[in-house]
Every structure is written in C-alpha cells, then in structure tokens.
Amino acid sequence: MTGRQWQPPRLRLFEAAHRRATWLELLYDLVFVVAVAELAAVYAAGSLLVFAGLFVPVWWAWAGYVFYANRFDTDDVSHRLLALPQILAVATMAASAGDIEHRSGLFAVSYAVARLLLVVAYVRAGRHVPEARPLTTRYAIGFSIAIAVWLASLAVDPPQRYALWAVAVVIDLATPLFTRGHQGRLPPQTEHLPERFGLFVVIVLGEVVAAVVLGLKGHDVTPGVLLVALAGVAIAMGFWWLYFGHLDESVVLRTRLAGQVWVYSHLPLSLGLVAFGVGIEHAITHPSGTSASVGVPAALVLAMLGVQHLCSRDRRAGAIRLLAAALALAASLLPVAAALPVLLLLAAAQVTYDVLRPLPERDPSPERDPSPERDPSPERDPSPERDPSPERDPAPEEAA
C-alpha cells in the first residue's frame, strides 16, 4: 500500500486547505437517517420517555465521530477500518431501538462497541500526535469508564439497566467538560464543524417530510388533511430557513459558555425536530385532537434557535426566537386547526424579519478564555500547516 492509502492520524485543525465533509462522513450520516427513523417510530408508538432516552446516546455516537474527524480525519485505510465498523454498530442500535424491551442488551453492546472503536481511534491519534496526547488520553479514560458502565448494565434487568445507562451517558457527556485547558490548545476547525452539525439538522428535517408521507399514506386525503400536511412541511421549511440563515462558524471558537452551549443545543434542537414531525403525523391522523404534540416540539426548536442566536451575540434575534417559542408553547393549548396557522405565522414572520433586517455585524474576536491552564505551547513546530499564534481562542467544551 502507498503512504496515501495508509497514513497515521495527523492534526487537521490548522491546515489552510478548505475542508468539506468526506464521502465516508456522508456514509456515516446515512446510517443515522435509519436510526432517527426508528426512534421516530418509537415516539409515534407513544413512548416519549423511551424516545428521548434512546435519542441521546444515538446523537452522542454521531457527535463523537464528528469531533474526532474534525481533528484527526485522514480518510485513509486505517481510518476507514475504524469508522466502518462504527457504522455497523450504529445500524445494530437502530435495529434494537424499535423493540428495546426485548433488545436492550443488544442496544447496550452496540453502543459500547461504537464507543470502543472511538476510544481506539483516540489512543492511536495520541500515539501519532504528541501535542494531542493530553486530550486524547483523557477522552479515552472517560469514555472507557462509560463503556464499562454500559457493559455492566448487562448484569441487571430493566429498569435497573436503564438507570445504569443514565449514569454512563452522564459520564460520556461530562468527559469533555473536564478537558477545557487541553481543548483550548486544539480548537475545532470552524468550517468543518458547522457543516457537519448542519447535515444532521437536514437529516432530522427529512424526518418531518417522511412523517407527513406516512400520515398521508394511512389516511384519506381530504382538503383538511392536506392542509395539515402542507402546513407541517411549510413550518419545517421555516425552521430550515431560520437555522441555515444563521450558520455562524465563529461561534464554535467562543469560550466561557457560548461555544459549548451552541454544540449541546443541537441535541434538544434535533430531538424537537423529530418530535415535531411525529406530531404532524399524529395531527394528520387525528385532526380533531389537541396540538401539544406539535406546539411543544415547535417551542423547543424555536427556543434552541434563540439560544444559538444568543451564543452569536445576536441578542435581538435571540429574543425574538425565544418570544416565538413562548407563543408556540401557548398555541399548544389550542386545537390543531387553530395551532398550525399560529405556528406557520410565527415561522413566516421570523423568516420575513431575517430577510428584511440588516445583517448583524460579527465580532471578529471571540471571547478570551482566562483559564490559567492556557498554554501558549512555545515548543509547537511553526510549520506552514499550523498556526502558532497564541491569540487563537480556546475551543468549546464540545460533545466529543
């Protein structure tokens, strides 16, 4: 094999070349299309808590690979040999989610395998990239502890098993929060990370369209039903506009709270979008019911969009999104026939506002991290591929 076919991991953060998602990353996303669809089916069956509980590790498995690839992806043979088995593990998670009562053990093992492969990748990266070793070592230790708890859950039956899952997820989520100083020396690449998160938003928005199609397939298409379906898709298009009209790449380098809040906000945002799609399907099949199944998820989505605006210091737009979220929550008390026009009006009004208002000025200098752990790393090799400037801002405490 040539060197191009088999390469050790290298630090990709300070390369001058513009990065886009690789074909392998897009393949990785494809399996999450299936996983999200299976989770949506769980929610459609009436298991809200199960849906939310399973959505977190599924999203976390996706986010873990994204952050590793952001720093170390070489797309060579060795990287693919670690990534492709993760795809198989996530596919097994998706196959287990629909019958979690009888397949909880398979779900736990599949998730543990996906995370174990990620740990192996981080250990390998630490071996070949010495300046990343403090970060990769801590990630490997924290994620390994979580894996051990997931596997230990096999020794007990539900619901005790689910309690151990919750502990393991907390460990997983908390691990990046204890590596702040080391993340500051290896900030994420700003052009690649927002693109990857945007692609996952596209995946969950697609679930809204799929839910509408499923609803129409199982119901007589009357004018009223068709209006409900079209309103649901139109509101989802409004969400798309509001999100991608505000894709601030600089926010991932902001410190103190903004960068990490932006990252973590994608979890409830994605969950809300999937739940909104299921709510529209429910509204199609039960048009005379209440609108909580669409109003509450819409409020969650708008609230997270508002939080993301605040992370970018666009306070006016953030306040408008949060006000719209409160109105959407109030609309959930109305019948479906009244709530959907309100939600559509809220989305349209915000899109109109975004189109007509002048573009906000971005602050080119993100907040500084005053942490004493900040190290300018004077021994870093000032090669053309890396930026030795000590003014580069630390990274957010991301979902790795």
Side-chain angles (χ1 to χ4, degrees):
M1 291 186 180
T2 67
R4 178 171 298 183
Q5 291 174 318
W6 196 289
Q7 304 177 40
R10 70 176 188 273
L11 198 59
R12 303 292 307 276
L13 303 181
F14 310 123
E15 295 179 354
H18 182 69
R19 281 185 67 187
R20 308 294 295 180
T22 65
W23 296 116
L24 178 59
E25 288 178 298
L26 296 178
L27 176 63
Y28 195 85
D29 287 352
L30 182 62
V31 72
F32 284 91
V33 175
V34 180
V36 169
E38 288 297 317
L39 293 176
V42 170
Y43 180 39
S47 303
L48 175 59
L49 291 178
V50 175
F51 160 71
L54 296 178
F55 193 93
V56 175
V58 167
W59 183 85
W60 197 255
W62 175 86
Y65 174 77
V66 165
F67 275 98
Y68 173 84
N70 181 262
R71 287 189 171 101
F72 304 112
D73 180 15
T74 53
D75 198 24
D76 69 311
V77 173
S78 60
H79 177 79
R80 295 179 181 185
L81 290 178
L82 287 172
L84 292 175
Q86 289 184 54
I87 294 177
L88 298 178
V90 173
T92 307
M93 290 172 62
S96 308
D99 188 17
I100 197 66
E101 183 178 352
H102 299 98
R103 297 181 178 179
S104 60
L106 183 59
F107 184 91
V109 171
S110 302
Y111 179 80
V113 168
R115 299 297 288 179
L116 179 61
L117 290 165
L118 183 65
V119 167
V120 172
Y122 271 120
V123 170
R124 186 167 177 264
R127 176 187 175 191
H128 291 282
V129 187
E131 62 191 289
R133 196 168 297 152
L135 178 68
T136 59
T137 299
R138 284 159 177 79
Y139 277 0
I141 292 173
F143 297 153
S144 296
I145 294 173
I147 291 169
V149 177
W150 277 94
L151 295 178
S153 72
L154 300 175
V156 297
D157 295 325
Q160 291 84 1
R161 177 174 295 173
Y162 303 145
L164 288 177
W165 289 8
V167 172
V169 167
V170 169
I171 295 172
D172 258 339
L173 291 170
T175 293
L177 303 180
F178 290 98
T179 58
R180 182 183 180 88
H182 302 290
Q183 290 174 17
R185 302 177 191 110
L186 300 174
Q189 193 176 58
T190 56
E191 65 187 18
H192 177 259
L193 201 63
E195 180 191 33
R196 298 296 292 119
F197 276 90
L199 287 171
F200 196 89
V201 171
V202 169
I203 289 174
V204 292
L205 281 170
E207 187 55 37
V208 177
V209 179
V212 168
V213 171
L214 288 175
L216 291 176
K217 284 178 62 176
H219 198 279
D220 293 335
V221 183
T222 63
V225 167
L226 187 59
L227 286 175
V228 170
L230 293 177
V233 175
I235 294 168
M237 290 179 179
F239 292 153
W240 170 85
W241 194 304
L242 296 175
Y243 179 86
F244 287 99
H246 174 72
L247 202 57
D248 180 11
E249 293 183 349
S250 68
V251 71
V252 300
L253 291 182
R254 296 218 168 97
T255 58
R256 294 179 183 263
L257 278 178
Q260 54 267 37
V261 170
W262 182 87
V263 167
Y264 283 110
S265 69
H266 282 80
L267 174 55
L269 174 70
S270 301
L271 191 150
L273 287 170
V274 176
F276 177 78
V278 176
I280 291 296
E281 181 183 355
H282 186 269
I284 291 173
T285 55
H286 301 87
S288 60
T290 62
S291 59
S293 60
V294 291
V296 174
L300 178 61
V301 171
L302 291 170
M304 291 303 102
L305 292 174
V307 167
Q308 291 180 357
H309 274 284
L310 294 177
C311 291
S312 296
R313 301 176 188 156
D314 191 352
R315 294 182 177 86
R316 179 176 296 180
I320 290 174
R321 301 287 186 267
L322 294 175
L323 175 60
L327 294 175
L329 190 61
S332 65
L333 302 175
L334 302 173
V336 171
L340 285 179
V342 172
L343 296 177
L344 185 57
L345 180 62
L346 288 172
Q350 292 176 91
V351 170
T352 302
Y353 168 78
D354 282 6
V355 170
L356 297 179
R357 69 169 177 154
L359 292 175
E361 294 184 3
R362 305 276 188 216
D363 184 354
S365 59
E367 303 171 47
R368 303 293 180 192
D369 186 355
S371 170
E373 296 183 19
R374 179 82 172 119
D375 182 0
S377 301
E379 298 180 2
R380 175 176 290 169
D381 179 13
S383 63
E385 292 187 354
R386 295 178 185 170
D387 180 5
S389 170
E391 297 185 358
R392 178 177 291 275
D393 285 317
E397 296 141 2
E398 81 276 6

